[in-house]
Amino acid sequence: MASDNRKRPSLKEDLTCSICYELFTDPVMLACMHHFCRACISTYWRGLRGFVSCPQCRREFPNRQLLTNFLVSGMVDKVRANSSEGYQKDLQNQLKDSLESYHAKREEYLNMIRQDKEKVDTIKRVGVELQARVQGEFQALRDLLQQEEGEVLEELRREQAEVLEQAEQRLEQLRTAVQEAEESVRVLQQAADAMETSVLVELPEVNMRPSLQVEKEAEFDVKAFTARYSGPLQYITWRRMFKLLKPAPAPLTFDPETAHPSLCLSRDKTSVVECQEMLPYKRNPKRFTQCVNVLAAQCFLSGRHYWEVGVGGSTKWDLGVAMEVVDRRARAKLSPENGYWTLRLREGGRYSAGTQPWTPLQVDAPPRFVGVFLDCEERVVSFYNAESMRLIYAFNHGPRGRVYPFFSTCVSERGQKPHPIKLLHFPQDPL
């Protein structure tokens, strides 16, 4: 164990002459395999007579033959070069650069750790806020449902109590009428029995017409009573809940003043489609200077808003919001940089978000109805499959200022039947 703990000689020590204690100069090797500087061993042997010996192992040699070791000589030259002041300075600079690099990398990792910790804290904080918000939204629905349930049950109990009270009153009248009739029957029966044994001089005092007249009441309509409380209660409640939704689906209408000349609006301004008679106009590129689009008549500056659009079998459309200040007659790319936040569909079922460049989207099922949500305070514009309410895409840096709901039917291909885009009002209209 002691030998393992001894310090191992370095390469420089191995290449050091044991006579002069300097790096070998013109190293030579003796037959015993020990190395010395040529000058050092020659000087050492000059003072000896007869046989010469190795200064290290004392082995004697019959002659003074010296063998040049070019391998050791080359190693000495390398060690001497590496031991030079310039080399040492370069090595120090390399070490300094490496240390600085690793210090910088360490600081970068520490910053990343701090950022990740902040991210974790943010996720936790936002998660708590969102949980509270979700719980509040559903608690409001539960409160409303509980209130609606209480009101319906109270109305049911009140109506039941009124019907029961009327029925009890009638039963009491009928019981009194029965008692009166029974008393008259008893008196008359006694008079009849007396006639068999004696002559009846006069009739007993009996009211031949009952004093209590009970009319026959119409039969209680159980089905009508049941129908009032076994009908579409969920739908009825939903209609009442709908008025309290925040945001409730906005009943948008198209603005004819903003409609492209090749678009036709329905009378109620809730449906838009390409006009067939305008196809020559649309096919002429020189005359086709405007985008085939239309805005809603309503605009939004604050608050939270939601609306739904029926796209049916359309294969091309753009939906979203546009800033009030955009020039819709210019053929600008629909992107936030140009004042548009949109979702697009093109042939082949290719859905994209209106970014620059376009962001391709994977959609599980082609939506027949698209829901658009706008939060002016949070600057969020998001799109949903309105049937499943699955999020399709969300812009988290939405518009700031007055915006309008934006719609474009795009230009249909030759021989392709145009499909309408329809604004949905609730209860939902079919396409």
Side-chain angles (χ1 to χ4, degrees):
M1 295 295 294
S3 62
D4 295 338
N5 293 331
R6 288 182 303 178
K7 182 179 179 181
R8 298 182 61 183
S10 65
L11 180 61
K12 186 176 181 180
E13 291 175 350
D14 290 338
L15 299 177
T16 299
C17 178
S18 61
I19 296 176
C20 66
Y21 298 106
E22 297 291 342
L23 288 174
F24 292 129
T25 302
D26 189 11
V28 294
M29 182 177 66
L30 305 183
C32 63
M33 306 299 288
H34 289 124
H35 293 77
F36 303 94
C37 299
R38 183 181 292 276
C40 291
I41 192 63
S42 298
T43 301
Y44 178 76
W45 281 354
R46 192 177 297 131
L48 298 177
R49 294 183 179 182
F51 292 105
V52 292
S53 62
C54 174
Q56 282 187 269
C57 65
R58 303 302 180 185
R59 180 180 172 179
E60 293 183 344
F61 307 105
N63 55 51
R64 300 191 178 197
Q65 182 179 4
L66 298 174
L67 300 175
T68 300
N69 194 325
F70 294 101
L71 178 62
V72 173
S73 179
M75 295 176 65
V76 170
D77 291 341
K78 289 182 179 180
V79 171
R80 185 174 282 112
N82 293 341
S83 301
S84 65
E85 182 178 353
Y87 177 81
Q88 292 296 324
K89 185 171 294 184
D90 290 341
L91 189 61
Q92 288 177 356
N93 290 335
Q94 291 180 18
L95 289 173
K96 182 179 178 182
D97 292 342
S98 297
L99 282 172
E100 290 178 352
S101 175
Y102 277 100
H103 277 302
K105 184 63 67 175
R106 176 178 175 274
E107 287 300 318
E108 181 181 353
Y109 289 147
L110 289 175
N111 287 333
M112 291 172 66
I113 290 175
R114 284 191 289 269
Q115 291 173 0
D116 286 353
K117 287 183 176 179
E118 292 176 358
K119 180 180 178 180
V120 169
D121 293 338
T122 300
I123 292 173
K124 291 181 178 179
R125 175 180 56 80
V126 173
V128 171
E129 293 174 355
L130 288 175
Q131 289 180 25
R133 181 173 179 175
V134 169
Q135 290 174 347
E137 295 283 350
F138 279 95
Q139 186 59 49
L141 293 176
R142 284 192 289 269
D143 292 343
L144 177 61
L145 287 174
Q146 188 174 6
Q147 178 182 350
E148 289 291 326
E149 179 186 11
E151 291 178 357
V152 172
L153 289 175
E154 179 62 27
E155 184 178 355
L156 171 60
R157 285 191 288 265
R158 180 187 57 76
E159 187 171 350
Q160 180 184 5
E162 291 178 357
V163 173
L164 287 176
E165 182 179 3
Q166 294 174 3
E168 291 293 341
Q169 292 177 354
R170 179 173 173 79
L171 284 174
E172 185 62 30
Q173 292 176 351
L174 290 173
R175 292 190 187 98
T176 303
V178 168
Q179 291 177 357
E180 182 180 308
E182 289 178 347
E183 178 64 22
S184 297
V185 168
R186 184 184 63 79
V187 173
L188 292 174
Q189 185 62 49
Q190 288 179 350
D193 294 340
M195 288 180 64
E196 295 180 358
T197 58
S198 63
V199 178
L200 183 62
V201 178
E202 60 180 350
L203 288 173
E205 294 182 2
V206 176
N207 188 1
M208 301 304 294
R209 299 186 62 182
S211 59
L212 181 62
Q213 298 292 328
V214 181
E215 299 293 336
K216 184 177 181 181
E217 190 177 32
E219 184 177 353
F220 176 64
D221 192 346
V222 177
K223 291 184 177 180
F225 179 73
T226 304
R228 283 194 291 273
Y229 299 97
S230 62
L233 287 178
Q234 294 182 354
Y235 180 77
I236 295 172
T237 303
W238 175 81
R239 291 299 299 268
R240 294 174 181 172
M241 291 175 61
F242 178 77
K243 299 178 181 179
L244 301 178
L245 292 180
K246 296 180 180 180
L252 301 182
T253 56
F254 293 118
D255 181 8
E257 298 297 325
T258 64
H260 186 271
S262 66
L263 296 178
C264 294
L265 302 183
S266 61
R267 288 186 177 181
D268 60 0
K269 300 180 181 62
T270 62
S271 182
V272 61
V273 69
E274 289 180 281
C275 301
Q276 293 294 319
E277 60 271 18
M278 296 297 292
L279 287 177
Y281 172 84
K282 295 187 298 177
R283 302 306 180 193
N284 188 337
K286 295 182 180 179
R287 299 181 64 187
F288 186 65
T289 57
Q290 291 179 298
C291 299
V292 185
N293 59 43
V294 62
L295 300 180
Q298 297 81 1
C299 67
F300 303 113
L301 179 62
S302 61
R304 304 165 71 215
H305 309 277
Y306 176 80
W307 59 93
E308 293 187 358
V309 186
V311 293
S314 298
T315 58
K316 296 172 63 178
W317 45 257
D318 296 289
L319 302 174
V321 297
M323 295 290 295
E324 182 183 33
V325 295
V326 300
D327 183 3
R328 295 187 309 108
R329 290 180 293 182
R331 306 198 72 176
K333 181 180 177 63
L334 301 183
S335 66
E337 293 78 7
N338 295 324
Y340 296 90
W341 289 261
T342 59
L343 179 73
R344 81 184 293 194
L345 170 66
R346 291 298 181 265
E347 291 86 357
R350 293 179 289 112
Y351 292 87
S352 305
T355 56
Q356 201 169 18
W358 292 100
T359 300
L361 302 175
Q362 294 295 328
V363 178
D364 295 337
R368 296 188 308 127
F369 308 97
V370 176
V372 185
F373 174 69
L374 168 66
D375 190 329
C376 297
E377 277 66 37
E378 297 294 332
R379 297 180 59 198
V380 171
V381 180
S382 51
F383 301 88
Y384 297 84
N385 182 330
E387 292 182 290
S388 63
M389 291 311 295
R390 184 182 295 273
L391 179 66
I392 300 175
Y393 188 80
F395 291 93
N396 294 318
H397 299 285
R400 181 185 284 113
R402 193 182 301 275
V403 294
Y404 284 83
F406 172 87
F407 313 87
S408 175
T409 61
C410 301
V411 181
S412 60
E413 301 297 329
R414 289 184 180 274
Q416 189 179 64
K417 180 182 177 181
H419 290 272
I421 289 180
K422 187 168 185 179
L423 295 172
L424 301 182
H425 293 182
F426 287 84
Q428 182 173 294
D429 298 328
L431 281 177

